[in-house]
Amino acid sequence: MAGSVRQVDASLPRRLLVLNGPNLNLLGTREPSVYGSDTLADAERLAGETAAAAGWDVRCVQSNHEGVLIDAIHAARTDCSGIVLNPGGLTHTSVALRDALAGVDLPVAEVHISNVHRREEFRHHSYVSGVAEVVIAGAGINGYRYAVQQLIAVLGT
Ligand code: CA2
């Protein structure tokens, strides 16, 4: 799907899944020099407000469990048109998450709060990027705003 052009489809649900992986519930509580002081609730609010301004809504899910994230991706197939995903540490390890994304065939915007490319070598590879339409890193929680805007643009509505 990456790089393809989508047609406008009036029957598309105007909803995005905003999915956050392991440890992102700790945002704003530790490591402010890496992740800033905003909380997960701030990031989810920003995504929701950005979507609402374009007449869309979001469903926000965070889990520390890979299977719960995969179930949320599968469920999105029925009532969401795209996925904003910060996979947390699973970015660098999870073939299963990548397979789930490929399986549902919804456009994906991968978000990282930190600039993973300026960090340890093991954070430079992402299993998700190869199935993502958009990759945003290093913009703090504004990355969620850009991801929502870009996904809505990709969806052509
Ligand atoms: O920069 C990002 O958004 C990451 O996806 C965050 C992951 C990290 O493993 C990725 O390499 C990059 C870690 C999420 C954990 O977040 C914490 C926040 C505050 C305190 C502790 C962990």
Side-chain angles (χ1 to χ4, degrees):
M1 177 200 320
S4 64
V5 175
R6 286 172 175 262
Q7 301 297 311
V8 174
D9 178 353
S11 68
L12 277 180
R14 291 174 74 85
R15 181 179 304 111
L16 301 174
L17 173 65
V18 177
L19 189 58
N20 282 284
N23 300 308
L24 285 156
N25 55 311
L26 298 177
L27 263 187
T29 66
R30 286 180 15 222
E31 299 194 60
S33 60
V34 181
Y35 298 114
S37 53
D38 294 307
T39 64
L40 178 63
D42 294 328
E44 291 177 342
R45 189 178 317 112
L46 183 57
E49 288 172 357
T50 305
W56 283 62
D57 69 19
V58 295
R59 176 162 68 237
C60 296
V61 176
Q62 186 276 330
S63 179
N64 295 322
H65 304 280
E66 191 171 17
V68 173
L69 297 169
I70 291 170
D71 287 344
I73 290 167
H74 291 175
R77 195 173 28 170
T78 61
D79 64 353
C80 294
S81 294
I83 302 174
V84 174
L85 172 62
N86 185 341
L90 293 173
T91 307
H92 318 296
T93 63
S94 181
V95 173
L97 204 55
R98 178 194 173 110
D99 288 346
L101 295 166
V104 297
D105 197 30
L106 293 172
V108 175
E110 177 183 356
V111 176
H112 298 287
I113 292 165
S114 63
N115 178 358
V116 284
H117 301 288
R118 210 165 69 174
R119 300 182 64 191
E120 304 96 321
E121 189 82 31
F122 67 83
R123 296 188 201 275
H124 297 181
H125 176 262
S126 165
Y127 281 98
V128 169
S129 296
V131 293
E133 204 85 30
V134 181
V135 180
I136 298 165
I141 71 163
N142 277 321
Y144 290 85
R145 181 211 311 274
Y146 305 144
V148 167
Q149 289 172 335
Q150 191 57 33
L151 266 190
I152 290 173
V154 162
L155 287 159
T157 59

